[in-house]
Amino acid sequence: DTVSPAAAASSLASSSSQPWNVANSTPLSHLFAMAKAGNVSKVMLRGSVVSYLHSMKSGSPQSQRWSQTTLPSKNSSILNELMSTLIQSGCDDITTLPESFWQRFVNGPAVMVLPFAYLAALYWMMRRLQKEQLGDGNDDDSFTIKTTTHNTTFDDVAGIDPSLQELTEVVNYIREPAAFHSVGAHPPRGILLYGRAGTGKTLLARAIAGEAGRKLTGKG
């Protein structure tokens, strides 16, 4: 099949106008090979991305197309070698374009922001895990501390007979701690009430406070 000069010129103009949208990605060695053979007619650099217009066959401008490769970052020696090779082979159409917004962000602020963002995400995950372990999955840290006086006693709580003796000792310590200290006793620092919601943990805490004649402080 033959291609008319007008169609070839139109195809060449179309390929030359959109060098950054080409799908033909090549290794860096291909660019050096084309440059040394004198087949590269135009080069456009944007950051570390190099788009170059080269001919498929030597001396056949109708078969030119854009290809694209990437230079190693922070390696000026390779860039200098490439520029020298292109100039020596007769390619004098070399254009350097400003980096895109995304490239500037990745090479600049992102390098400084990402570590802090990672630490912030890690801190948030640790806080959330800690809340889940404590049985509080609510992310809202706003709460009130309420201190109230209750007249609830052990008689108002059903099903505590097996633990009544231990609870009575705790109440006696709260009432008269000096009597325990005089004999060298070390009562427990606290009591862990464990159970599902609605099993009477709060009611039992109120009963202990009521028996000891103390106020009950809790999260509301």
Side-chain angles (χ1 to χ4, degrees), residues 178-216:
F180 288 84
H181 293 160
S182 62
V183 296
H186 297 282
R189 294 179 179 270
I191 302 174
L192 177 63
L193 302 179
Y194 178 80
R196 295 182 178 179
T199 56
K201 300 186 296 297
T202 304
L203 179 62
L204 183 56
R206 292 174 180 173
I208 295 174
E211 291 282 350
R214 298 293 189 271
K215 294 181 179 181
L216 178 66

Side-chain angles (χ1 to χ4, degrees), residues 24 26-35 40 52 54 65 67 69:
N24 183 36
T26 62
L28 184 58
S29 59
H30 181 267
L31 172 56
F32 272 98
M34 292 289 101
V40 179
Y52 56 102
H54 63 92
R65 70 174 181 181
S67 294
T69 189

Side-chain angles (χ1 to χ4, degrees), residues 149-161:
T149 302
H150 296 275
N151 296 323
T152 309
T153 63
F154 289 149
D155 295 334
D156 300 321
V157 185
I160 62 171
D161 294 340

